[in-house]
């Protein structure tokens, strides 16, 4: 299989989908002439022309809404946010219009749209440019939320997102863009709502997604050295949650730790812990533990920022707590 | 008696004119009766914004569109929906929250939808639908079609950022969209003078973006029609958006709970003396296109139509409780509970 970057995998997904369906187009800030702020859309203007690769003014609310309107009229827009931190300016469009349109029209209108772009803490970007908003969007009935952690998933998930008839929030991670991995050439679809066991194990279930997968896998390696077998599950889709895969694993391991780059309070991990506990409380040999980013705005200083993130020592410590050793 | 005057020469034939008069009467009666159902018997809930007094704006402009054009508006949407040909039954059933309603009882007064008629909804966040209209126009141009999208909003929306972002992109990309600002002078209880630094809306909505802007008496239905037709021709010809400020006046409060203390009774009385429906009826009478007897007959027919719609709505089923989870997504919806 070809070894390509997460960034190239996303580009491949969009390019292939645009080749197969004229209704698909990409719109956003600097996506065309600049080749993408993070070069995800590199070469696409040249390949598809200005009709389908469209630079916008700095008007996130406006072009998010334009995408939704275009989707209501039958197109399949891919709207790029330079970073999801900027989607806060467009949140009325996403929540009130994209997510609600089908429901409040009694099923008459669909909104097949993908909002995609970078997100997360990428180093020294400070408070306004480091947001993790997955919990915000996963809260909303009507939205699908996807967050790929590997190049292969980036491609397969984005292709499925573009083919979805519902609005998808597709959050990439800025630090993952240069990560390389094996990616199937051509048709490769990862189903929406399916988690993936990235490392099988039997003593504890580690649940994570996006960039935290890497840290979690590193922790699992260290735990293996100690004789603790950790199963690592990559959620991939945050909403709808693949609860079956989680429960299946927890029934086997009886212990779970959730690792997320977002803040702890009202976070994705809180929702997962609640749903798991409701269903398999009796299977749990320890309370579910969470390793989240510390509850403070994201500082500029690199050492401070690093201290907030889920780290191998923090994950290992949480696992020790739940396995009682 | 309402003065018979119109600023435009006839722009329609007799048949069309009578259809328009009838539509205005239907909207008026529909809302009068709905208000009664709201006040007595608690049959309609939530927010309920009436269009009374503004009927010529929707009827005149929608009246010159093609069947394959699109329409989108704000939350004061009953008039636009009925003008587009939504049945009184579907509208009334929606107000009563029934499954036979135009949004299957999920939308209510502020969210009327009708995909068959290209009616893309009532939208209840001020200004939020203006980018949607612009996106619909984007899709029309993308596919190389000569259809247009007409977008209505109140003058209060002119101070909302999303509106300006959309206007800029519509002009930049020459999109086939017509923005019709229904200036009824009050954004809820706040007059234009108290909210807006530059009172000429064209300067902000049109001039600022290089969009042709025109201010007209929106209560002159044929002028409304003529102006919209010209804008639609421009849009179909690839010349881009038009901004129309239609001056009008709403008779009722912002919503049903608004006693209207921010305006003088005299102001309302003076507007009602020139009720646009009576004005148009008199215009048509002077042209010899209608007589008193025919007008009365038309009113009687409408009364019957609205009563029948109420009966239909009342006898319709409410959505079953399991429909709570229906129509959230196209894919099977999995509640995250």
């Amino acid at each position: 299989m070809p070894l390509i970057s997460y960034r190239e995998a996303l580009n491949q997904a969009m390019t292939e989908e645009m080749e197969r369906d004229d209704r698909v187009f990409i719109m956003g800030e600097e996506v065309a002439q600049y080749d993408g702020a993070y070069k995800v859309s590199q070469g696409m203007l040249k390949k598809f022309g200005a009709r389908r690769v469209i630079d916008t003014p700095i008007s996130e609310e406006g072009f998010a809404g334009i995408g939704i309107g275009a989707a209501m009229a039958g197109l399949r827009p891919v709207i790029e946010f330079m970073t999801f931190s900027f989607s806060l300016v467009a949140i009325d469009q996403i929540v009130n219009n994209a997510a609600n349109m089908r429901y409040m029209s009694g099923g008459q209108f669909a909104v097949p749209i993908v909002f995609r772009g970078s997100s997360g803490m990428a180093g020294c970007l400070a408070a306004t440019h480091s947001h993790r908003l997955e919990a915000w969007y996963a809260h909303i009935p009507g939205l699908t939320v996807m967050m790929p952690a590997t190049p292969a998933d980036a491609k397969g998930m984005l292709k499925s997102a573009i083919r979805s008839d519902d609005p998808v929030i597709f959050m990439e991670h800025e630090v993952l863009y240069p990560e390389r991995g094996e990616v199937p050439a051509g048709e490769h679809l990862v189903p929406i709502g399916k988690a993936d066991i990235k490392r099988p194990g039997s003593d504890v279930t580690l649940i994570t997604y996006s960039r935290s997968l890497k840290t979690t896998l590193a922790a699992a390696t260290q735990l293996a050295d100690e004789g603790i077998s950790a199963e690592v599950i990559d959620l991939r889709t945050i909403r709808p949650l693949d609860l079956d895969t989680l429960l299946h694993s927890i029934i086997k391991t009886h212990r779970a730790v959730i690792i997320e780059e977002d803040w702890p309070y009202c976070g994705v991990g809180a929702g997962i812990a609640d749903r798991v506990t409701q269903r398999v409380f009796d299977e749990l040999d320890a309370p579910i533990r969470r390793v989240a980013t510390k509850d403070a705005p994201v500082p500029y200083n690199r050492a401070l920022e690093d201290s907030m993130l889920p780290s191998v020592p923090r994950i290992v410590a949480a696992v020790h707590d739940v396995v009682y050793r | 008696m309402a003065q018979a005057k119109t600023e435009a020469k006839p722009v329609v034939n007799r048949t069309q004119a009578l259809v328009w008069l009838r539509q205005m009467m239907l909207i008026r009666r529909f809302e009068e009766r709905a208000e009664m159902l709201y006040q007595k018997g608690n049959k309609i809930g939530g927010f309920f914004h009436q269009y009374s007094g503004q009927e010529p704006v929707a009827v005149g402009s929608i009246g010159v569109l093609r069947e394959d054009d699109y329409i989108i508006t704000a939350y004061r949407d009953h008039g636009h929906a009925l003008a587009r040909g939504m049945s009184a039954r579907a509208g009334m059933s929606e107000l009563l929250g029934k499954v036979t309603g135009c949004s299957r009882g999920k939308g209510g007064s502020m969210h009327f939808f009708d995909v068959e008629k290209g009616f893309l909804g009532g939208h209840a966040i001020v200004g939020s639908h203006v980018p949607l209209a612009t996106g619909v126009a984007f899709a029309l141009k993308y596919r190389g079609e000569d259809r247009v999208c007409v977008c209505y909003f109140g003058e209060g929306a002119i101070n909302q950022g999303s509106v300006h972002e959309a206007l800029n992109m519509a002009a930049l990309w020459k999109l086939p969209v017509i923005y019709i600002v229904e200036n009824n002078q009050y954004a809820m209880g706040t007059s234009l003078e108290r909210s807006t630094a530059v009172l000429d809306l064209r300067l902000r909505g049109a001039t600022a973006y290089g969009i042709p802007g025109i201010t007209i008496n929106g209560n002159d239905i044929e002028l409304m029609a003529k102006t919209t037709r010209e804008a639609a021709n421009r849009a179909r010809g690839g010349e881009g958006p038009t901004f129309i400020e239609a001056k009008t006046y709403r008779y009722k409060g912002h919503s049903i709970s608004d006693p209207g203390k921010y305006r003088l009774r005299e102001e309302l009385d003076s507007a009602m003396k020139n009720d646009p429906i009576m004005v148009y009826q008199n215009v048509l009478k002077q042209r010899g296109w209608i007589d008193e007897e025919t007008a009365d007959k038309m009113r009687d027919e409408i009364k019957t139509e609205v009563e029948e719609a109420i009966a239909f709505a009342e006898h319709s089923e409410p959505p079953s409780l399991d429909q709570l989870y229906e129509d959230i997504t196209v894919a099977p919806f999995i509640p995250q509970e």
Side-chain angles (χ1 to χ4, degrees):
Chain A
M1 255 189 286
L3 200 67
I4 63 170
S5 69
Y6 184 93
R7 170 188 287 119
E8 290 164 318
L10 294 163
N11 182 294
Q12 232 177 55
M14 289 193 288
T15 300
E16 288 176 16
E17 292 308 299
M18 283 175 66
E19 279 168 345
R20 70 183 282 275
D21 188 346
D22 185 66
R23 295 171 300 171
V24 180
F25 67 92
I26 176 166
M27 174 184 275
E29 291 152 359
E30 309 292 2
V31 298
Q33 287 201 15
Y34 195 88
D35 263 341
Y38 293 100
K39 305 298 170 209
V40 175
S41 57
Q42 189 147 34
M44 291 181 67
L45 173 65
K46 204 172 163 199
K47 187 171 176 63
F48 295 104
R51 172 175 169 263
R52 300 182 70 195
V53 183
I54 302 135
D55 277 330
T56 65
I58 304 171
S59 305
E60 286 87 1
E61 185 182 9
F63 68 75
I66 285 174
I68 298 164
M72 290 174 76
L75 299 185
R76 305 182 79 86
V78 176
I79 301 296
E80 177 174 306
F81 290 122
M82 195 179 289
T83 130
F84 264 93
S85 291
F86 304 162
S87 77
L88 289 174
V89 181
I91 202 157
D92 168 56
Q93 288 297 334
I94 300 170
V95 173
N96 277 315
N97 292 340
N100 285 339
M101 196 66 67
R102 186 159 185 82
Y103 200 65
M104 61 185 187
S105 69
Q108 293 180 82
F109 288 94
V111 184
I113 190 168
V114 176
F115 295 102
R116 55 153 289 274
S118 72
S119 77
M121 294 159 59
C124 298
L125 299 180
T128 59
H129 280 52
S130 303
H131 283 294
R132 292 85 57 222
L133 299 170
E134 53 268 31
W136 290 42
Y137 292 117
H139 189 63
I140 310 293
L143 296 180
T144 299
V145 181
M146 301 173 86
M147 299 182 76
T150 68
D153 284 344
K155 177 176 176 181
M157 287 166 64
L158 184 53
K159 283 171 73 81
S160 293
I162 293 170
R163 293 187 200 181
S164 165
D165 292 324
D166 297 306
V168 178
I169 304 295
F170 195 92
M171 292 171 158
E172 299 146 15
H173 201 295
E174 196 173 326
V175 304
L176 296 178
Y177 283 135
E179 292 281 317
R180 294 171 76 81
E182 288 193 336
V183 177
E187 189 76 342
H188 166 57
L189 296 170
V190 171
I192 293 171
K194 280 304 283 182
D196 187 39
I197 298 170
K198 289 290 197 286
R199 177 186 172 121
S202 53
D203 295 332
V204 60
T205 301
L206 305 183
I207 301 163
T208 190
Y209 57 90
S210 189
R211 175 239 212 145
S212 301
L213 174 67
K214 226 177 144 183
T215 322
T216 305
L217 286 170
T221 305
Q222 189 174 318
L223 289 163
D225 294 343
E226 300 173 18
I228 298 169
S229 167
E231 180 148 289
V232 178
I233 299 179
D234 175 7
L235 292 176
R236 302 197 292 194
T237 300
I238 309 299
R239 181 190 183 100
L241 186 69
D242 182 1
L243 199 54
D244 285 348
T245 297
L246 302 186
L247 297 180
H248 194 257
S249 175
I250 292 166
I251 288 166
K252 179 176 68 179
T253 63
H254 308 289
R255 297 166 163 89
V257 175
I258 304 166
I259 301 99
E260 57 198 313
E261 194 184 304
D262 202 356
W263 287 306
Y265 189 56
C266 301
V268 167
I272 294 171
D274 166 58
R275 295 180 67 194
V276 167
T277 308
Q278 283 184 55
R279 283 161 180 83
V280 294
F281 179 75
D282 288 345
E283 293 284 347
L284 290 167
D285 287 345
I288 296 172
R289 284 288 310 269
R290 294 173 61 207
V291 180
T293 287
K294 290 182 181 168
D295 192 26
V298 179
Y300 165 69
N301 178 278
R302 190 181 293 276
L304 281 180
E305 180 181 346
D306 286 348
S307 77
M308 304 173 77
L309 283 165
S311 60
V312 171
R314 288 179 64 201
I315 298 167
V316 168
V319 170
H320 287 164
D321 278 355
V322 300
V323 299
Y324 306 118
R325 36 177 159 142
Chain B
M1 182 173 131
Q3 266 186 300
K5 61 167 185 189
T6 175
E7 289 178 21
K9 288 182 178 155
V11 298
V12 285
N13 60 28
R14 176 173 178 271
T15 313
Q16 182 68 70
L18 294 184
V19 168
W20 288 354
L21 179 64
R22 192 182 192 289
Q23 280 184 335
M24 291 199 290
M25 290 177 176
L26 175 66
I27 296 166
R28 182 69 58 86
R29 184 65 187 168
F30 178 91
E31 290 194 325
E32 281 170 359
R33 285 295 282 121
E35 183 177 359
M36 289 162 73
L37 293 174
Y38 194 110
Q39 304 286 22
K40 289 183 207 159
N42 224 2
K43 287 181 177 162
I44 300 172
F47 294 121
F48 179 79
H49 309 88
Q50 294 187 68
Y51 198 56
S52 288
Q54 304 181 207
E55 293 93 341
V57 180
V59 174
S61 52
I62 291 171
V64 295
L65 297 180
R66 293 194 330 218
E67 273 185 20
D68 64 347
D69 289 329
Y70 282 113
I71 289 149
I72 190 166
T73 187
Y75 48 82
R76 198 178 301 285
D77 59 355
H78 313 144
H80 308 84
L82 293 170
R84 188 54 170 173
M86 179 186 286
S87 70
R89 278 181 167 202
M92 198 60 81
S93 298
E94 189 60 32
L95 294 179
L96 268 64
K98 299 301 181 73
V99 77
T100 48
C102 59
S103 305
R104 304 184 71 188
K106 299 263 184 71
S109 164
M110 301 189 286
H111 310 112
F112 276 21
F113 283 85
D114 191 340
V115 68
E116 297 295 322
K117 307 274 184 202
F119 187 70
L120 298 155
H123 292 271
I125 303 294
V126 173
S128 184
H129 66 294
V130 180
L132 300 183
T134 311
V136 170
F138 175 89
L140 300 177
K141 184 168 182 182
Y142 185 91
R143 290 192 295 246
E145 297 169 346
D146 70 343
R147 301 153 78 185
V148 303
C149 181
V150 180
C151 175
Y152 301 85
F153 53 94
E155 86 287 349
I158 202 74
N159 294 317
Q160 194 72 298
S162 58
V163 172
H164 292 270
E165 294 185 12
L167 287 167
N168 178 50
M169 282 181 271
L172 188 66
W173 298 333
K174 286 202 178 326
L175 301 179
V177 54
I178 302 167
Y179 301 104
I180 298 181
V181 182
E182 302 194 50
N183 183 357
N184 65 17
Q185 303 176 41
Y186 295 94
M188 198 163 166
T190 304
S191 65
L192 199 61
E193 289 75 13
R194 292 201 298 124
S195 64
T196 305
V198 175
L199 296 179
D200 185 343
L201 300 182
R202 287 172 304 175
L203 289 177
R204 299 179 66 210
T207 312
Y209 303 104
I211 296 174
I214 181 167
T215 296
I216 59 169
N217 173 12
N219 278 12
D220 181 337
I221 186 167
E222 295 198 1
L223 180 61
M224 198 64 230
K226 179 169 167 277
T227 310
T228 308
R229 184 180 283 151
E230 286 163 4
N233 288 341
R234 285 192 69 248
R236 294 191 213 285
E239 291 173 66
T242 303
F243 181 96
I244 301 170
E245 179 194 3
K247 287 194 180 287
T248 185
Y249 196 80
R250 78 167 138 75
Y251 291 167
K252 302 289 179 171
H254 162 71
S255 73
I256 206 157
S257 59
D258 167 19
K261 286 182 180 163
Y262 44 83
R263 61 184 179 188
L264 296 169
R265 183 72 220 178
E266 293 74 33
E267 181 183 302
L268 178 60
D269 287 345
S270 133
M272 290 177 90
K273 266 184 212 146
N274 280 305
D275 178 56
I277 300 180
M278 287 313 296
V279 167
Y280 197 49
Q281 187 180 314
N282 290 334
V283 166
L284 300 187
K285 219 191 274 177
Q286 281 181 5
R287 284 184 197 159
W289 287 2
I290 194 170
D291 55 28
E292 202 65 42
E293 195 186 335
T294 317
D296 287 347
K297 193 164 160 257
M298 200 180 259
R299 279 199 170 78
D300 286 343
E301 281 169 13
I302 284 162
K303 274 186 187 168
T304 310
E305 183 179 339
V306 172
E307 293 314 307
E308 193 276 337
I310 293 169
F312 174 82
E314 286 184 331
H315 288 111
S316 290
E317 293 295 320
S320 60
L321 292 183
D322 59 359
Q323 287 177 41
L324 184 70
Y325 293 118
E326 267 181 24
D327 295 326
I328 298 175
T329 47
V330 178
F333 180 73
I334 308 162
Q336 303 296 290
E337 294 171 347

